Amino acid sequence: MFKHASVLNKSNNLNKLLFNSISKGSFNNNNNGILAATAINSSIRNFASFSSSKVMLDKRSEKPQNPLYHRNSTLYSYTPRDVLIKIEKDFVMPPSYEAKTLSDNFAKFSVLFLRKFSNLFFKEKFLHYAIVLETVAAVPGLVGGMFLHLKTLRNMQRNNWIKILMDEMENERMHLLSFMELTKPTLTERAMVAVTQAIYWNLFLVFYLLSPKTAHRFTGYLEEQAVITYTNMLEDIDSGKVPNYKAPKIAIEYWGLPEDATLRDLILVIRQDESDHRLVNHEISNKIILKNNEPIILENHFHKPTIINPIGEEEIKEHTPEGIKMEKKINPTSDL
C-alpha cells in the first residue's frame, strides 16, 4: 500500500511540475508543449498502473510456503475486499464454446446430460453438490498431467502443459477442502463420491488415451457448467436459500481473502478459478487439433482470465487461407 501511494504521489508531483513549466513558457511551441505534456502524463499514468500491478504481484510472492497447498496454483492468491468488489463488478457470464466438430458436439451434450442427472439428485443441496462436483473436477487435470508427464519421460521430450494441468488439479482440490470445512457430506453422499470417482477416473483415463482433444473439450464444457453453478449459488446466497457462512481459514490463506470473508466471497474467487480452467482446456484442445505444443500463458487481466496469443486468433481474424481452414476446426479462446 505504501509503495503504491508513493508512486501516485510522485506521479502527481511530476504532473504539477510539468504543467507549471508549460504555463511559464518552458516549451517554445504551445502545441508541441501540450502534445509533450500529454505524452509524458500518459507515461506517468502507465508507470503508476504498472507499479500497482507489481505491488499485487509482490503481495502474492510474499505469501509463505504452506505444506497443505501450492501457493501459486491460482491467479487469485491475493484478493482483499477491494479486489473482490472489482471481481464481482467486472464479471460477465462467459459464452459457451461453439462446437465445430462431431467430437465437440459429443463432449458438449455429454456434459449437458450429466448436468441434468446431477440436478435431479441434489436439487437444492448446493454445498453438497459443490463437494461432489469438485471431487470429479480434480480428475481431468491429474489424468492429463500424468499422461503428459509419462509421455515426456518416455520420449525424453519437453511438454509445456504439465504444470498448468497439475495447478488445475491442485486448485480443484483446494475448492473441495474449503467446502469440506463448511458442511459434512452424508454417508450416502460419501458413497456416491467414492463410486463416482472410481467410475469417472477409469472412464476418463480411457477417454484421454483414445482422444485427448475430446477429453480436454469435455473438461472445458464441464468447467463452463461449474461457472454457471457458482453464479447460481451466489444468487441463492443473496436470496437466503444458502447461509452465508464465514469462509474457512484455509480458504482465507490460500486466496488471500480478508479476515471477515464469507462463503459468498469464497464463491467469487472459485468462480474465477473455474473460468480459468475453462479457457485452458479449450485452448489445449485447440492446440492438439492444430498439432501445436506451445506453452499456454494464462494471465489475470483486470480480474478477467486471458490467454496470451491464443492459437488461431490472428489467422482467423485476417482470413488467411490457413485461417479459413482453422475456423472450420476451432473457435479461438479469445472469443470466450
Side-chain angles (χ1 to χ4, degrees):
M1 289 293 291
F2 294 114
K3 291 180 183 177
H4 191 195
S6 175
V7 169
L8 292 178
N9 287 336
K10 288 179 182 177
S11 172
N12 291 333
N13 290 338
L14 283 169
N15 278 331
K16 289 177 184 177
L17 179 62
L18 178 63
F19 287 107
N20 284 339
S21 298
I22 294 170
S23 62
K24 291 177 182 177
S26 297
F27 290 99
N28 294 328
N29 184 295
N30 189 46
N31 289 334
N32 290 341
I34 292 172
L35 289 172
T38 303
I40 295 172
N41 187 44
S42 176
S43 297
I44 291 169
R45 289 182 182 277
N46 288 339
F47 173 71
S49 176
F50 168 77
S51 299
S52 175
S53 299
K54 189 174 186 305
V55 169
M56 295 285 283
L57 289 173
D58 287 344
K59 289 290 184 184
R60 287 179 60 193
S61 61
E62 285 172 7
K63 181 181 289 189
Q65 290 283 8
N66 191 307
L68 298 179
Y69 55 79
H70 173 45
R71 62 184 175 180
N72 290 327
S73 54
T74 175
L75 292 181
Y76 311 95
S77 58
Y78 178 64
T79 51
R81 180 63 57 196
D82 59 325
V83 173
L84 288 170
I85 292 170
K86 187 79 170 138
I87 284 174
E88 182 169 19
K89 181 182 176 183
D90 293 347
F91 177 79
V92 176
M93 180 63 75
S96 180
Y97 181 92
E98 180 188 351
K100 293 279 187 176
T101 64
L102 185 63
S103 63
D104 287 352
N105 280 292
F106 171 78
K108 182 174 185 177
F109 287 107
S110 296
V111 169
L112 291 176
F113 170 77
L114 291 173
R115 171 77 191 217
K116 287 184 178 180
F117 175 77
S118 60
N119 284 348
L120 287 173
F121 184 84
F122 287 100
K123 296 181 181 178
E124 294 189 355
K125 298 177 72 175
F126 303 102
L127 283 176
H128 296 256
Y129 182 22
I131 286 175
V132 175
L133 179 68
E134 295 300 345
T135 60
V136 170
V139 169
L142 180 58
V143 170
M146 179 190 72
F147 262 105
L148 294 176
H149 180 64
L150 292 175
K151 184 179 179 181
T152 294
L153 298 178
R154 186 170 64 251
N155 297 340
M156 301 182 190
Q157 293 176 344
R158 185 178 66 183
N159 185 281
N160 296 311
W161 308 333
I162 295 172
K163 183 182 181 300
I164 201 166
L165 287 172
M166 297 309 285
D167 281 347
E168 177 184 318
M169 178 270 300
E170 168 71 352
N171 182 241
E172 298 285 11
R173 187 179 72 87
M174 290 305 299
H175 294 178
L176 174 63
L177 291 180
S178 298
F179 288 131
M180 289 286 288
E181 294 288 324
L182 298 175
T183 185
K184 301 300 178 186
T186 64
L187 188 61
T188 302
E189 287 164 347
R190 284 180 177 276
M192 183 183 177
V193 165
V195 172
T196 302
Q197 190 181 76
I199 294 172
Y200 188 62
W201 167 265
N202 287 289
L203 284 178
F204 198 84
L205 203 66
V206 175
F207 192 11
Y208 202 93
L209 188 62
L210 294 175
S211 180
K213 68 180 177 66
T214 310
H216 282 291
R217 187 72 74 214
F218 175 89
T219 306
Y221 284 124
L222 195 67
E223 299 294 357
E224 288 179 9
Q225 291 301 315
V227 173
I228 293 171
T229 295
Y230 289 122
T231 300
N232 292 340
M233 194 179 290
L234 287 171
E235 293 173 0
D236 291 329
I237 290 172
D238 292 341
S239 67
K241 288 183 179 179
V242 177
N244 194 18
Y245 301 107
K246 177 175 172 52
K249 183 180 179 182
I250 192 170
I252 291 173
E253 291 176 355
Y254 178 70
W255 282 281
L257 295 166
E259 288 299 320
D260 62 346
T262 62
L263 173 61
R264 194 179 192 285
D265 300 321
L266 174 59
I267 298 298
L268 284 174
V269 287
I270 287 179
R271 183 175 64 176
Q272 292 296 110
D273 287 335
E274 303 293 11
S275 191
D276 292 357
H277 303 160
R278 160 186 160 274
L279 276 179
V280 168
N281 280 281
H282 282 313
E283 181 69 8
I284 290 178
S285 186
N286 286 353
K287 285 182 178 293
I288 292 173
I289 291 170
L290 300 179
K291 298 178 180 178
N292 182 300
N293 187 35
E294 291 178 3
I296 294 173
I297 304 173
L298 182 70
E299 291 189 357
N300 175 4
H301 276 196
F302 302 103
H303 317 302
K304 181 181 184 301
T306 305
I307 289 180
I308 307 303
N309 297 327
I311 191 166
E313 179 188 28
E314 293 181 4
E315 293 87 346
I316 292 174
K317 189 181 294 183
E318 294 172 3
H319 296 288
T320 64
E322 185 181 0
I324 293 171
K325 292 179 183 178
M326 286 182 178
E327 196 170 16
K328 294 178 180 178
K329 298 178 181 179
I330 69 163
N331 182 29
T333 51
S334 53
D335 296 340
L336 304 181

